[in-house]
Amino acid sequence: MRLSFPPDALQVVTPSAGQSIVGIWTSPPRFDNQKGEIILQGGIPQGINVSKGLVSTITFRVRKTGNVTLRFQSDSRVLLHDGLGTDDLNHAQNGVYQFVLPPPAGPGVASETHPDQSLWYANPNLLLRWSNVVGALGFSYVLNEKPIFNPDNTVNSSENSVAYNNLLSNTYYFHIKALGEGQVWGGTTHFAVNVDTRPPAAFPIDVRPGAKTTSKTVFLHFATTDKHSGLDRYEYSVIPLTPSIAKSAEAYQTFFIETTPPEIVDLEKGKYDVIVRAYDKSGNFEESVRRVRIVSPLVLFLTSKWTISTIIILIIILGFISPKALRWYRKLEERHGRELPNKVKSQIEELKNYRKKYGKISVIFGLIFTGFLFGFQSVSAQEAINITPPFISTISKNISNEDIFYVGGKTDNNNIDVIIYLQNLRTGETHSFITQSDNKGDWFYRHPSFLSTGEYLIWTQSSLGELMSPPSPQAKINVTRTAIQFGSNRISFETLYLVLVIVLLLALFALSFWLSVIFRKGKKKHLALMREVKEAEEAVRRGFAVLKRDIEAELSVIHKAKLNKSLSSEEKQKEDQLLRDLAEMERYIGKEVWDIEKYT
């Protein structure tokens, strides 16, 4: 069985199994004060039937006041001795305990800075006061992290107040007792102080379906934790950065409103900053900002990395094959309309000579050589009384000269004027703007026009009638150039990028269409060429057949003569010459047809 406890609130002093209804412990009771876990493993061999029984005695030391829960972990089991091993732990309930300090036994203690002992405060400076005790000669006190503690018997002060500065985030306990008449120490009073000066942990904002999307409905997912006081709430705001949307900003809240993640936001096409604040229970907050762009499907497609990558790959491929295709076309163009190569011409002349020798041969021979050009084009991407300076919490630190500048924060005074100063570090020119905080102390300002590029300093002051607060700490913002300006007209680099991508796509489509047309024409001419080559081949074969027939006729005459009489040496030489010529023509003319096909 595993029993869990919060290790920051409780610590096990010792577990004891000296008195227990458990007959056999498979392992002694164990505990882990870092994990907050107690492990009990054992059994009762013959079982037991009682209304209640002592399993183990566990002594805790309380580390802080408040509510604490002791719970059985999900893998814990208590099995009945019923022959079935039925788990009976599901009938048990978790224990919830409230630990409070004992009532004051000494001077009554109060704090102006941290009045409520159950609440958390972000103020690290503590002021404590206590009531006078009649006849008190002095007081002994101490501030530590132990809920119950008895100060030593040394007088620390005879005053009735003490201050502690720059306390770290933690829960502290102030213990005080008074020295009375007769040098007798009175009882001790304990006072709890909760200090949390650290904000919640930093966190990202997950935008779905994406930070750049065509969907006008986006889901904001976010979550974080707080180590000391714990999370209290989330607040969010949507700041439009596109001028056309900023003019109708009433459609979007610029002050923060409370939310629970996930938050669903409906937006129009444009650019926004989504700001989410996570507050802890002492009022500290952590802020996270995410830029969101709502674009059209075409813009999303054209600005996709896959689209750009595909265009570049196609350009590289076409650029690689273009020179080779061009050289191939030029060679074909040089041959177009010219005579046959000398080797082929000489072979045809040999055919003519044989025709003169053996008879008339009708050879129809014509060759048309053609080709196509495979071309390519590419496109090569200061403190006034009771008035404190405003606190700047939200600021568009890094924006472009086509984004709307905004700044916001909090004031200690509600419904007070906030003066914002903006100084251009390059020109030294300083402008001031006035806005007002609301009834919660929140204030926000959005500039109506674009800022020129460069670095700026920004600081604020609170104003209440003729009273002015000191200036707030300065912050620096940087405005980068992402637009080209012609008078009052602006062309953003994003627009130029889109234009370039569109031009590349048009060039690619035009090139592809042109190549397909050239390919079809070239294929048509190539088929015509092959058809005429086949006709020429058939003509040569027919000429060969006629010539072979004539030679075979001559040989037939010679063979008949051989039957009647022996051949003369002249006739024998003629027969041998005819046989050699016949064999030579079969080999020679076959090679000629092969050379013609290779040439085409």
Side-chain angles (χ1 to χ4, degrees):
M1 180 174 66
R2 295 176 182 267
L3 186 66
S4 65
F5 60 91
D8 62 331
L10 297 177
Q11 293 282 274
V12 176
V13 176
T14 176
S16 173
Q19 181 181 359
S20 175
I21 62 173
V22 177
I24 298 175
W25 290 99
T26 56
S27 65
R30 308 190 307 273
F31 66 92
D32 189 331
N33 279 331
Q34 291 185 344
K35 294 182 179 179
E37 184 178 72
I38 301 172
I39 303 175
L40 304 174
Q41 291 180 318
I44 306 173
Q46 301 301 322
I48 191 172
N49 187 6
V50 295
S51 61
K52 61 182 179 179
L54 177 62
V55 175
S56 178
T57 300
I58 302 171
T59 303
F60 291 96
R61 177 185 293 113
V62 179
R63 303 185 65 184
K64 68 178 183 179
T65 58
N67 293 329
V68 172
T69 301
L70 301 181
R71 56 172 54 90
F72 295 104
Q73 295 187 5
S74 60
D75 58 348
S76 297
R77 299 290 185 271
V78 175
L79 305 180
L80 297 179
H81 190 267
D82 59 356
L84 300 176
T86 304
D87 183 15
D88 196 47
L89 192 60
N90 54 0
H91 298 296
Q93 295 181 350
N94 298 323
V96 180
Y97 303 90
Q98 184 180 22
F99 297 104
V100 298
L101 295 174
V109 179
S111 174
E112 297 175 8
T113 56
H114 301 68
D116 195 325
Q117 299 182 65
S118 63
L119 299 183
W120 289 81
Y121 298 89
N123 187 357
N125 303 317
L126 172 63
L127 176 62
L128 294 166
R129 298 182 185 274
W130 53 89
S131 61
N132 289 322
V133 177
V134 177
L137 302 177
F139 303 93
S140 175
Y141 53 81
V142 65
L143 182 72
N144 59 25
E145 300 174 9
K146 298 178 180 181
I148 303 299
F149 187 83
N150 190 25
D152 59 20
N153 295 331
T154 301
V155 174
N156 297 110
S157 174
S158 59
E159 302 293 332
N160 65 341
S161 67
V162 65
Y164 298 91
N165 297 322
N166 300 319
L167 295 177
L168 299 178
S169 298
N170 208 340
T171 296
Y172 299 91
Y173 298 91
F174 181 70
H175 316 279
I176 184 172
K177 62 183 180 179
L179 179 63
E181 295 179 353
Q183 300 293 317
V184 176
W185 288 96
T188 303
T189 296
H190 313 279
F191 187 88
V193 177
N194 299 304
V195 177
D196 184 6
T197 62
R198 300 179 60 181
F203 62 96
I205 303 174
D206 181 22
V207 182
R208 300 177 187 177
K212 189 175 186 179
T213 179
T214 60
S215 175
K216 294 183 178 182
T217 300
V218 296
F219 296 81
L220 308 177
H221 296 260
F222 43 88
T224 187
T225 58
D226 186 78
K227 181 179 180 180
H228 297 285
S229 61
L231 284 177
D232 182 57
R233 69 188 187 278
Y234 293 98
E235 293 181 357
Y236 87 103
S237 177
V238 177
I239 313 299
L241 302 179
T242 304
S244 58
I245 303 175
K247 291 179 180 179
S248 58
E250 63 273 5
Y252 306 93
Q253 89 282 358
T254 54
F255 289 104
F256 288 83
I257 60 175
E258 189 169 345
T259 182
T260 301
E263 176 65 39
I264 304 175
V265 184
D266 293 323
L267 304 172
E268 297 298 325
K269 285 196 297 183
K271 189 186 302 184
Y272 305 83
D273 269 357
V274 175
I275 307 173
V276 176
R277 290 176 178 175
Y279 285 82
D280 63 17
K281 294 178 180 179
S282 65
N284 302 306
F285 67 89
E286 178 69 24
E287 186 174 279
S288 182
V289 182
R290 186 69 184 272
R291 182 68 53 87
V292 178
R293 291 180 175 87
I294 310 300
V295 299
S296 64
L298 178 61
V299 171
L300 184 64
F301 170 75
L302 294 179
T303 57
S304 169
K305 62 180 180 180
W306 300 111
T307 302
I308 304 304
S309 300
T310 301
I311 294 175
I312 293 175
I313 291 173
L314 290 175
I315 289 175
I316 292 175
I317 293 175
L318 293 177
F320 177 76
I321 66 177
S322 176
K324 295 183 178 181
L326 186 59
R327 288 194 297 268
W328 173 74
Y329 170 77
R330 287 175 177 173
K331 287 182 180 179
L332 292 179
E333 192 177 44
E334 290 174 358
R335 295 177 179 178
H336 180 69
R338 296 187 179 183
E339 296 180 352
L340 292 173
N342 293 331
K343 184 177 182 180
V344 178
K345 290 167 61 178
S346 63
Q347 292 173 352
I348 295 177
E349 288 299 323
E350 291 293 334
L351 284 174
K352 291 180 179 179
N353 293 335
Y354 278 116
R355 176 63 188 89
K356 292 178 181 179
K357 187 175 182 179
Y358 297 108
K360 185 177 181 181
I361 298 178
S362 298
V363 180
I364 302 174
F365 196 88
L367 297 175
I368 301 175
F369 297 94
T370 189
F372 66 90
L373 172 65
F374 194 85
F376 175 73
Q377 283 184 324
S378 62
V379 181
S380 318
Q382 101 194 209
E383 160 174 354
I385 299 176
N386 296 328
I387 302 181
T388 58
F391 170 67
I392 299 176
S393 62
T394 303
I395 185 172
S396 51
K397 291 185 177 180
N398 296 298
I399 58 174
S400 69
N401 59 344
E402 64 167 354
D403 294 333
I404 296 297
F405 162 73
Y406 64 88
V407 61
K410 289 180 172 292
T411 60
D412 292 339
N413 306 88
N414 302 335
N415 302 310
I416 194 172
D417 288 339
V418 177
I419 306 175
I420 301 142
Y421 300 93
L422 189 66
Q423 182 182 37
N424 189 315
L425 293 181
R426 181 176 59 86
T427 64
E429 187 177 6
T430 303
H431 297 277
S432 64
F433 319 99
I434 298 179
T435 187
Q436 193 175 50
S437 63
D438 62 9
N439 54 10
K440 295 191 301 182
D442 292 325
W443 61 273
F444 185 84
Y445 172 78
R446 182 176 53 239
H447 201 55
S449 60
F450 298 114
L451 296 179
S452 58
T453 58
E455 289 186 328
Y456 292 80
L457 284 181
I458 182 171
W459 68 95
T460 60
Q461 275 186 300
S462 293
S463 174
L464 183 60
E466 297 181 355
L467 296 178
M468 298 286 290
S469 74
S472 70
Q474 292 181 335
K476 182 180 290 187
I477 65 171
N478 184 44
V479 180
T480 59
R481 179 182 296 277
T482 58
I484 301 174
Q485 186 170 359
F486 301 96
S488 61
N489 298 319
R490 288 172 174 262
I491 301 177
S492 68
F493 289 151
E494 186 177 33
T495 301
L496 293 177
Y497 173 78
L498 288 175
V499 171
L500 177 60
V501 173
I502 292 173
V503 170
L504 287 175
L505 280 174
L506 291 176
L508 187 61
F509 290 151
L511 179 59
S512 300
F513 176 77
W514 181 72
L515 289 178
S516 65
V517 171
I518 295 300
F519 176 77
R520 288 196 298 269
K521 290 183 178 180
K523 184 177 181 180
K524 182 177 180 181
K525 291 184 178 181
H526 177 72
L527 292 176
L529 170 63
M530 294 304 298
R531 184 173 59 251
E532 297 204 10
V533 168
K534 287 184 178 294
E535 291 175 356
E537 181 181 338
E538 290 298 324
V540 172
R541 288 174 180 170
R542 288 196 299 269
F544 168 74
V546 172
L547 189 58
K548 180 180 179 182
R549 184 193 62 195
D550 293 343
I551 294 175
E552 288 175 345
E554 289 289 334
L555 288 174
S556 177
V557 173
I558 295 174
H559 289 163
K560 289 180 180 180
K562 290 173 68 174
L563 296 175
N564 299 326
K565 61 178 180 178
S566 59
L567 298 177
S568 63
S569 60
E570 182 180 354
E571 291 173 333
K572 184 65 175 174
Q573 291 176 358
K574 184 176 181 181
E575 180 184 17
D576 293 341
Q577 182 64 43
L578 287 172
L579 292 174
R580 287 194 299 271
D581 289 344
L582 182 61
E584 180 67 18
M585 281 188 291
E586 289 178 346
R587 181 192 66 80
Y588 198 63
I589 294 175
K591 184 176 184 302
E592 177 192 2
V593 173
W594 168 253
D595 287 339
I596 292 174
E597 291 176 349
K598 182 179 179 182
Y599 176 74
T600 58

